[in-house]
Amino acid sequence: MFQMNRRRALQLMTTLGTAGLVAGCGSDDADSDAVPERNRIKIGLIAPENGAGKAVGQEITNGFELYLALNNQHLGGHPVTLEKRDEGETAKTGQAAVNDLLKQGVLALTGVANPAVISGIRDTVEQAKVPLVGSNASPVSLQSVVYIWRTSYVLDEPGRALAVYLKERMPTGSRITVIAPESSASLDVVQGFRQAFGNDDPRIADETIWTTAKTNPGDSDFAPHIRQAIDRDPDALVGHFAGPAAIQFIRQLRRNRPAYQGPLYAPGFLTEGNVLNEVRGVLLDGDDNLLPGSIHTVSNYSVDLNNSANRVFAAAYRKMYSSSPTTYAMASYDAAQVLDKALRIAGPNPSPQVLNLAIGKIGQIDSPRGVWQFNQPRTPQQKWYLRSVQLDGRLLSNVMINEVATLG
């Protein structure tokens, strides 16, 4: 896993300068006041270090470490020791990571990539009364929590945002086919889409096509499901795939040209991270022109958003990691910002319980995604954006088209 050394962090801070540092941290005038040096604290970061979730885990770690680098390894005036543990791929391995961090006396927890893991550790976190500022999507079923906050979103929200856009765009008499792996996360996404679109709307009358839910599917696992979808003669496909599964789904769908050259719509997972680099060969022709069959995604973040916080964040991320940030990194960066602001409120010697109360008082976050704030269920009220896969020079990129909804 990429380790940020102190020398490189100092170089980054020097490159951005003081003005950039303040903008990058999303501080308002009150927050930017100097905080006296306080006692050292431990923050526990949980993220997968191997397996199918490794890339997301890397982004989560990068985002949090970047915020620390821009703030001289401090949060709220406290020097920070970041204790990192491998989330693994199951609720059991995630639970082991949490237990170990609690034994280390962490003041707060952050990270957690797998929605199944955050559900699995719910009771432990609540009983320990140590705040968890989770930085990836969480399931709809995670409700009535006191110590669990999320800086990403609830899994039905990308489906709802997509429905808001497509319900207005797709003409009467058109047909949308939904295809997704049979997993709890997909169930949340598809349910959000169908409920927001209208379950009785004839445009989505076809039953969802459920595919294999393997984390590392083979190069023909989706083929029969894709053929079934194409046989319905849809005007648009709506899918939900991420990571290795997204790569395989796009490749296998493109093998069916010209039988289907219509648009593919999906939550942003489909094209986040290294996915576009991996599928470049099936999206472009020999002259590097986009082939027919557009890909559109909805996300709470786009790297080309034009606001001061994002300009500094994206520039700093590229400088530090030589790649563009994803929504995973952004949400983790914001998790660090949440803790920074809350620790300023909590005073010089906060307990986990006092810190948890302070999180509820922080108000608006000036984020790379745009300004947002926590709602009553402890998730963000935020904007959602439509993005399109386009060529940006020679690179395939998720280009922001327009805002489609405010949810949360």
Side-chain angles (χ1 to χ4, degrees), residues 346-375:
N349 296 294
S351 66
Q353 294 80 16
V354 169
L355 176 59
N356 194 66
L357 289 172
I359 293 173
K361 300 176 182 178
I362 62 175
Q364 292 187 330
I365 299 291
D366 186 11
S367 165
R369 77 187 84 173
V371 175
W372 66 272
Q373 62 187 15
F374 284 117
N375 57 20

Coordinates of all heavy atoms in Angstrom, one line a residue, residues 346-375:
A346 N -14.7 20.0 20.2 CA -14.8 19.1 21.4 C -13.8 19.5 22.5 O -14.0 19.0 23.7 CB -14.4 17.6 20.9
G347 N -12.9 20.4 22.3 CA -12.0 20.8 23.4 C -10.7 20.0 23.4 O -10.5 19.1 22.6
P348 N -9.8 20.3 24.4 CA -8.5 19.8 24.4 C -8.4 18.3 24.7 O -7.4 17.7 24.3 CB -7.7 20.7 25.4 CG -8.8 21.2 26.3 CD -10.0 21.4 25.4
N349 N -9.3 17.8 25.5 CA -9.2 16.4 26.0 C -10.5 15.7 25.8 O -11.1 15.3 26.8 CB -8.8 16.4 27.5 CG -7.4 17.0 27.7 OD1 -6.4 16.4 27.2 ND2 -7.4 18.1 28.4
P350 N -10.9 15.5 24.6 CA -12.2 14.9 24.3 C -12.2 13.4 24.6 O -11.3 12.7 24.3 CB -12.5 15.2 22.9 CG -11.1 15.2 22.2 CD -10.2 15.8 23.3
S351 N -13.3 12.9 25.0 CA -13.6 11.4 25.1 C -14.3 11.1 23.7 O -14.8 12.0 23.0 CB -14.5 11.1 26.2 OG -15.8 11.7 26.0
P352 N -14.4 9.8 23.4 CA -15.2 9.4 22.2 C -16.6 9.9 22.2 O -17.1 10.3 21.2 CB -15.1 7.9 22.2 CG -13.8 7.6 22.9 CD -13.7 8.6 24.0
Q353 N -17.2 9.9 23.4 CA -18.6 10.3 23.5 C -18.7 11.8 23.3 O -19.7 12.3 22.6 CB -19.2 10.0 24.9 CG -19.3 8.5 25.2 CD -17.9 7.9 25.6 OE1 -17.0 8.6 26.0 NE2 -17.9 6.5 25.5
V354 N -17.8 12.6 23.8 CA -17.8 14.1 23.6 C -17.6 14.4 22.1 O -18.2 15.3 21.5 CB -16.8 14.8 24.5 CG1 -16.6 16.2 24.0 CG2 -17.2 14.7 25.9
L355 N -16.6 13.6 21.5 CA -16.4 13.8 20.1 C -17.6 13.5 19.2 O -17.9 14.2 18.3 CB -15.2 12.9 19.7 CG -14.8 13.0 18.2 CD1 -14.5 14.4 17.7 CD2 -13.7 12.0 17.9
N356 N -18.3 12.5 19.6 CA -19.5 12.1 18.9 C -20.6 13.2 18.9 O -21.2 13.6 17.9 CB -20.1 10.8 19.4 CG -21.1 10.2 18.5 OD1 -20.8 9.7 17.4 ND2 -22.4 10.2 18.9
L357 N -20.7 13.8 20.1 CA -21.6 15.0 20.2 C -21.2 16.1 19.3 O -22.0 16.8 18.7 CB -21.8 15.4 21.6 CG -22.5 14.4 22.6 CD1 -22.4 14.9 24.0 CD2 -24.0 14.3 22.2
A358 N -19.9 16.3 19.3 CA -19.3 17.4 18.5 C -19.6 17.3 17.0 O -19.8 18.2 16.3 CB -17.8 17.6 18.8
I359 N -19.5 16.0 16.5 CA -19.8 15.8 15.1 C -21.1 16.3 14.7 O -21.3 16.8 13.6 CB -19.6 14.3 14.8 CG1 -18.2 13.8 15.0 CG2 -20.1 14.0 13.3 CD1 -18.0 12.3 14.8
G360 N -22.1 16.1 15.6 CA -23.4 16.6 15.3 C -23.6 18.1 15.3 O -24.6 18.6 14.9
K361 N -22.5 18.8 15.6 CA -22.6 20.3 15.7 C -21.8 21.0 14.6 O -21.7 22.2 14.6 CB -22.1 20.8 17.1 CG -22.9 20.3 18.3 CD -22.2 20.7 19.6 CE -23.0 20.1 20.8 NZ -22.3 20.5 22.1
I362 N -21.2 20.2 13.7 CA -20.2 20.9 12.8 C -20.9 21.7 11.7 O -20.2 22.5 11.1 CB -19.2 19.8 12.2 CG1 -20.0 18.8 11.4 CG2 -18.4 19.2 13.3 CD1 -19.1 17.8 10.7
G363 N -22.1 21.4 11.4 CA -22.8 22.2 10.3 C -22.3 21.8 8.9 O -22.0 20.6 8.6
Q364 N -22.2 22.8 8.0 CA -21.8 22.5 6.6 C -20.4 22.2 6.4 O -19.5 22.7 7.1 CB -22.2 23.7 5.8 CG -23.7 24.0 5.7 CD -24.1 25.1 4.7 OE1 -23.3 26.0 4.5 NE2 -25.2 25.0 4.1
I365 N -20.1 21.3 5.5 CA -18.8 20.9 5.1 C -18.5 21.5 3.7 O -19.3 21.3 2.7 CB -18.6 19.4 5.0 CG1 -18.9 18.8 6.4 CG2 -17.2 19.0 4.5 CD1 -17.8 19.0 7.4
D366 N -17.5 22.3 3.6 CA -17.1 22.8 2.3 C -16.2 21.8 1.6 O -15.0 21.7 1.7 CB -16.3 24.1 2.5 CG -16.0 24.8 1.1 OD1 -16.6 24.4 0.1 OD2 -15.2 25.8 1.1
S367 N -16.8 20.9 0.8 CA -16.2 19.7 0.3 C -15.9 19.8 -1.2 O -16.5 20.6 -1.9 CB -17.2 18.6 0.5 OG -16.9 17.4 -0.3
P368 N -15.0 19.0 -1.7 CA -14.7 18.9 -3.1 C -16.0 18.6 -4.0 O -16.0 18.9 -5.1 CB -13.7 17.8 -3.3 CG -12.9 17.9 -2.0 CD -14.0 18.2 -0.9
R369 N -16.9 17.9 -3.3 CA -18.2 17.6 -4.1 C -19.2 18.7 -4.1 O -20.2 18.7 -4.8 CB -18.9 16.4 -3.4 CG -19.6 16.7 -2.1 CD -20.1 15.5 -1.3 NE -19.1 14.9 -0.5 CZ -19.3 14.0 0.4 NH1 -20.5 13.4 0.5 NH2 -18.4 13.5 1.1
G370 N -18.9 19.8 -3.3 CA -19.8 20.9 -3.1 C -20.2 20.9 -1.6 O -20.0 19.9 -0.9
V371 N -20.9 21.9 -1.2 CA -21.2 22.0 0.2 C -22.3 21.0 0.6 O -23.3 20.7 -0.2 CB -21.8 23.4 0.5 CG1 -22.3 23.5 2.0 CG2 -20.7 24.5 0.3
W372 N -22.1 20.3 1.7 CA -23.1 19.3 2.2 C -23.1 19.4 3.7 O -22.3 20.0 4.4 CB -22.8 17.9 1.7 CG -21.5 17.3 2.3 CD1 -20.2 17.5 1.8 CD2 -21.3 16.5 3.5 NE1 -19.3 16.8 2.5 CE2 -19.9 16.2 3.6 CE3 -22.2 16.1 4.4 CZ2 -19.4 15.5 4.7 CZ3 -21.7 15.3 5.5 CH2 -20.3 15.0 5.6
Q373 N -24.1 18.7 4.3 CA -24.2 18.6 5.8 C -24.9 17.3 6.1 O -25.6 16.7 5.3 CB -25.0 19.8 6.4 CG -26.4 19.9 5.9 CD -27.0 21.2 6.4 OE1 -26.4 22.1 6.9 NE2 -28.4 21.2 6.3
F374 N -24.7 16.8 7.4 CA -25.3 15.6 7.8 C -26.8 15.8 8.1 O -27.2 16.9 8.5 CB -24.7 15.2 9.2 CG -23.3 14.5 9.1 CD1 -22.2 15.1 9.6 CD2 -23.2 13.3 8.4 CE1 -21.0 14.5 9.6 CE2 -22.0 12.7 8.3 CZ -20.9 13.3 8.9
N375 N -27.6 14.8 7.7 CA -29.0 14.9 8.0 C -29.3 14.1 9.3 O -28.3 13.6 9.9 CB -29.8 14.3 6.8 CG -29.4 12.9 6.4 OD1 -28.8 12.2 7.2 ND2 -29.7 12.5 5.2

